[in-house]
């Protein structure tokens, strides 16, 4: 019985006009659900942050600095999840180098950490520290999403967006 040589071609995926295998989009399930993915990963990172806050508050002498440390650790986890699964998950191809997005994200985190810590210290005077941590998270979430979507993980120029929409691949000006 002859071997079926079509199996490797089927595994390679669909072919373009020139016979070259077309790269499949990673995580294409749920396209257009970017805000939901952002919220899900944000929820995960919020739980991580509150867990770290409890751990650091109860087992160290960091005091209110426990919140800042927990925020920074969960922010880095958030970057990884959002880079690979939120903004890549909708078929989006990153137009900026990873290091640029990482530095931009961390600049946003620095500002958000200051706002989060300020809110935490204010609220923690009247409410338990975990409630204060949750209020700080909630107060900065929407702003972080908008900035991340528009300026950090978003398209760097209009031409890149137009190329994606029309399917035309124009040479880059670089």
């Amino acid at each position: 019985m002859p071997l079926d040589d079509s199996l490797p071609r089927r595994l390679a995926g669909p072919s373009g006009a020139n016979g070259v295998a077309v790269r499949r989009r990673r995580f294409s399930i749920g396209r257009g659900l970017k805000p939901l993915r952002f919220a899900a990963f944000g929820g995960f990172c919020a739980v991580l942050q509150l867990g770290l806050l409890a751990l650091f508050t109860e087992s160290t002498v960091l005091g209110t600095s426990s919140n800042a440390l927990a925020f920074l650790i969960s922010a880095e986890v958030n970057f990884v999840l959002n880079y690979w699964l939120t903004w890549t998950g909708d078929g989006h191809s990153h137009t900026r180098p990873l290091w640029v997005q990482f530095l931009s994200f961390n600049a946003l985190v620095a500002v958000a950490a200051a706002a989060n810590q300020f809110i935490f210290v204010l609220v923690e005077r009247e409410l338990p520290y975990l409630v204060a941590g949750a209020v700080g998270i909630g107060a900065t979430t929407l702003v972080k999403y908008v900035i991340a979507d528009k300026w950090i993980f978003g398209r760097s120029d209009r031409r890149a967006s137009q190329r994606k929409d029309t399917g035309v691949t124009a040479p880059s000006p670089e």
Side-chain angles (χ1 to χ4, degrees):
M1 180 165 192
L3 293 174
D4 182 7
D5 67 342
S6 66
L7 181 59
R9 283 189 302 241
R10 286 192 307 240
L11 291 176
S15 296
N18 59 3
V20 176
V22 176
R23 190 180 209 177
R24 290 182 186 243
R25 291 182 177 163
R26 291 179 41 192
F27 306 107
S28 62
I29 296 174
R31 282 186 72 191
L33 298 178
K34 189 182 341 177
L36 288 176
R37 285 194 303 268
F38 180 83
F41 298 136
F44 170 78
C45 289
V47 170
L48 173 65
Q49 180 180 339
L50 293 174
L52 291 171
L53 173 59
L55 176 70
F56 297 153
T57 300
E58 300 296 329
S59 64
T60 69
V61 293
L62 292 173
T64 58
S65 297
S66 295
N67 181 63
L69 182 59
F71 179 89
L72 294 173
I73 292 170
S74 70
E76 298 311 312
V77 171
N78 193 285
F79 173 81
V80 170
L81 291 172
N82 281 312
Y83 180 84
W84 290 108
L85 302 173
T86 299
W87 276 273
T88 301
D90 62 355
H92 176 84
S93 60
H94 299 283
T95 57
R96 293 182 191 97
L98 175 61
W99 69 270
V100 171
Q101 291 178 337
F102 181 75
L103 291 177
S104 300
F105 184 83
N106 279 290
L108 170 62
V109 165
V111 173
N116 180 288
Q117 186 66 11
F118 176 76
I119 293 166
F120 174 81
V121 169
L122 255 149
V123 175
E124 201 245 348
R125 293 177 182 171
E126 302 297 324
L127 297 171
Y129 68 88
L130 287 177
V131 173
V135 170
I137 292 167
T140 58
T141 298
L142 181 60
V143 172
K144 286 189 300 185
Y145 173 77
V146 170
I147 291 171
D149 189 47
K150 299 294 179 196
W151 291 292
I152 296 173
F153 298 113
R155 296 247 174 236
S156 64
D157 66 339
R158 257 191 201 150
R159 284 173 284 166
S161 180
Q162 290 169 346
R163 284 194 302 267
K164 180 182 177 192
D165 294 341
T166 62
V168 175
T169 53
S172 68
E174 299 165 359

